[in-house]
Amino acid sequence: MVSSPRTEQELYERCVANLENARTSQHPDAAAKATLLGLRSQLKEVMDRSEFRDPALFESAHELVDEVGTLLRRHYSESCILPYRDGSYYRECPVDLAHLRVGLSPEIRVLESECSICNLDPEDCDHLPGEMYDGQECMSVITKAEATAVAIVTNPRQLVTRFTSIPAGTTAELSAALGPKFHPGVQLNCDRCLSGCSGLNRDFAGANHG
């Protein structure tokens, strides 16, 4: 059984190797497409995990996720269709959302928690959150809490609070941008990866959880 990467560096190195295989494929190729689709999410994860711990690794992953997006859009445009649900289009591509460097930071009053390594109260054990113990990352697991507020920040503590789906625009905005041939429900391709990287979106820079 192949073990999963334990650090963002290991995950990045695996991504580099897999991307090299996809680069040298004769497109279109089903295996290369599957590899590229997986790399979108994996490289976004590297970015999310390394942004404030290893800026150099973050930028390397950023460059690769842009390359993956370009390869998919050029050779597999069916992978770059905006989802349409309940009368609205959504941006859900990991390459696109990797450039949105904000997330949700819930304000939570912790009532009870335990260490993921020994199951004791974190105040009563010697394990440090974020450190590795026999291949397992230590975390403080909240077992009882109440949420009091939610903020949008650039450095959320939990990776799962990054956005995974955001509206692509109102019907009026899309009509103005796409012209009279547009009507709700028509298939829309995302072309952002065809024009190169337009930069990272940190509109909420400075709003950190801490």
Side-chain angles (χ1 to χ4, degrees):
M1 179 180 294
V2 178
S3 60
S4 299
R6 294 187 295 180
T7 69
E8 52 266 34
Q9 181 65 46
E10 291 171 328
L11 179 56
Y12 173 77
E13 291 171 0
R14 180 174 294 184
C15 288
V16 170
N18 289 338
L19 178 56
E20 183 58 32
N21 291 333
R23 284 186 184 124
T24 57
S25 297
Q26 294 296 316
H27 302 290
D29 176 83
K33 177 183 175 181
T35 295
L36 291 168
L37 289 174
L39 286 172
R40 292 193 305 186
S41 298
Q42 293 160 12
L43 288 166
K44 179 182 182 297
E45 180 181 346
V46 174
M47 291 175 67
D48 291 343
R49 290 167 60 177
S50 66
E51 184 171 11
F52 296 97
R53 296 201 296 185
D54 190 338
L57 179 60
F58 172 83
E59 289 301 332
S60 296
H62 176 200
E63 291 178 7
L64 289 193
V65 82
D66 283 333
E67 180 181 350
V68 167
T70 300
L71 287 170
L72 278 168
R73 183 61 183 87
R74 286 178 177 172
H75 300 293
Y76 310 96
S77 59
E78 69 277 8
S79 301
C80 303
I81 297 171
L82 294 177
Y84 181 75
R85 298 188 301 273
D86 302 322
S88 298
Y89 292 92
Y90 293 90
R91 294 164 52 190
E92 297 181 351
C93 171
V95 176
D96 180 14
L97 296 180
H99 292 75
L100 179 61
R101 304 313 307 161
V102 297
L104 299 177
S105 178
E107 181 179 299
I108 298 175
R109 188 164 76 92
V110 177
L111 303 177
E112 296 177 6
S113 63
E114 63 183 33
C115 170
S116 63
I117 303 296
C118 64
N119 301 120
L120 294 176
D121 187 307
E123 297 293 331
D124 299 329
C125 77
D126 297 325
H127 300 112
L128 299 176
E131 295 295 323
M132 303 296 293
Y133 297 88
D134 295 326
Q136 181 178 353
E137 182 178 1
C138 176
M139 296 180 289
S140 293
V141 180
I142 298 173
T143 56
K144 186 176 181 180
E146 61 179 12
T148 57
V150 176
I152 297 178
V153 300
T154 59
N155 185 14
R157 287 180 180 172
Q158 294 84 23
L159 296 183
V160 294
T161 62
R162 295 282 182 182
F163 290 97
T164 58
S165 178
I166 58 177
T170 65
T171 299
E173 291 170 338
L174 292 172
S175 296
L178 301 174
K181 292 186 177 181
F182 168 77
H183 61 84
V186 68
Q187 179 176 299
L188 294 182
N189 278 84
C190 174
D191 296 334
R192 72 173 306 281
C193 292
L194 290 178
S195 55
C197 180
S198 59
L200 302 172
N201 182 353
R202 288 192 173 104
D203 284 348
F204 297 91
N208 291 290
H209 186 117

